[in-house]
Amino acid sequence: MMTSFGVMRENMIDGQVLPSQIKNRKLVAAMSEIPREVFVAEDQKSYAYSDKDVEIGVGRFLMEPRVLAGLVQALSPTPEDVGLDVGCGTGYGMVVLSKLCNTVVGIESDLELMEKASTLLSHLEIDNAVAVHGTLCDGCLSEAPYDVVLMEGSVPEMPEGILEQLSDGGRMAAVLNQGPGLYEATLVTRVGKSFGSRVLFNSAASALPGFDIAPIFAF
């Protein structure tokens, strides 16, 4: 019996996205039409719409649908915005953002994942997004400033270098790992040289590599 990914997609929207108070109609429409299954390996396709992170290789994961949707909705993307997707993986989050923003840059440290994302962008005929290879914690300074920044995984703190790449009024959304079992989806907004933050909801997310806080040694 063939798997109906269309039905699975509808179930994801009805069972995960809408019950999580996702009210942005363009976001719901985007997630209703984007074939999430093409962003994972063949042996993971049956899990593509499940309510958990799905492995895409090298210890990296496709973010749980409701968590991704909550972060993107909080960013309040507009058709004029330039977006940055940090840790874009195979590109699902980039494609979601591409439906809501003017242009999107995805930064990915794993070359194989970045190439897969580029291939899928072409396959899906997404012409306002590009995946680039680079160090995640550096962001992508050459295309800054950004109006919205999506962190596709958990980090211990908001990366200062990427915060500086926000435009005035720009927003960054990430899941902060505050300690064992304590994860907070958080939104940061830039106003001039100041940054304000608020907690959106509690939810775990797989860690992004390269954002570890260096230990402080006391003498």
Side-chain angles (χ1 to χ4, degrees):
M1 181 177 178
M2 292 185 62
T3 302
S4 173
F5 291 116
V7 171
M8 293 170 68
R9 200 172 305 128
E10 290 178 8
N11 291 339
M12 175 192 72
I13 296 297
D14 293 339
Q16 300 178 56
V17 175
L18 294 179
S20 299
Q21 302 301 308
I22 304 304
K23 299 178 180 179
N24 184 317
R25 293 182 180 181
K26 289 185 178 180
L27 172 58
V28 173
M31 296 184 72
S32 297
E33 67 182 38
I34 297 169
R36 190 173 162 93
E37 70 275 6
V38 305
F39 296 90
V40 301
E42 192 66 34
D43 62 351
Q44 295 293 314
K45 290 187 185 298
S46 61
Y47 304 107
Y49 296 95
S50 60
D51 57 349
K52 64 178 182 178
D53 292 351
V54 182
E55 187 172 1
I56 55 175
V58 295
R60 298 287 295 283
F61 296 82
L62 196 65
M63 189 176 281
E64 182 182 346
R66 69 173 186 86
V67 177
L68 177 73
L71 294 176
V72 173
Q73 177 169 265
L75 287 170
S76 302
T78 75
E80 293 76 37
D81 283 345
V82 177
L84 175 66
D85 185 3
V86 179
C88 67
T90 52
Y92 178 76
M94 285 178 64
V95 176
V96 172
L97 283 176
S98 77
K99 304 292 186 179
L100 307 171
C101 295
N102 183 286
T103 55
V104 180
V105 177
I107 183 79
E108 178 49 58
S109 57
D110 184 85
L111 184 59
E112 186 174 340
L113 291 179
M114 185 277 291
E115 291 175 342
K116 176 68 172 177
S118 296
T119 298
L120 288 171
L121 289 174
S122 177
H123 173 72
L124 296 171
E125 300 182 341
I126 305 297
D127 59 7
N128 65 330
V130 60
V132 298
H133 184 236
T135 303
L136 300 187
C137 63
D138 291 341
C140 189
L141 185 59
S142 63
E143 303 300 322
Y146 301 100
D147 304 297
V148 296
V149 175
L150 172 66
M151 305 290 292
E152 287 231 39
S154 66
V155 291
E157 62 183 10
M158 290 293 188
E160 186 174 338
I162 302 178
L163 284 173
E164 293 296 336
Q165 295 175 27
L166 284 174
S167 62
D168 190 2
R171 293 84 65 199
M172 179 189 292
V175 174
L176 299 185
N177 183 351
Q178 305 285 44
L182 179 58
Y183 293 85
E184 294 180 336
T186 303
L187 179 72
V188 171
T189 302
R190 180 172 192 169
V191 181
K193 294 183 179 181
S194 300
F195 298 89
S197 67
R198 65 182 177 93
V199 174
L200 302 168
F201 53 87
N202 296 322
S203 185
S206 301
L208 280 178
F211 290 93
D212 295 336
I213 299 175
I216 298 175
F217 297 99
F219 296 95

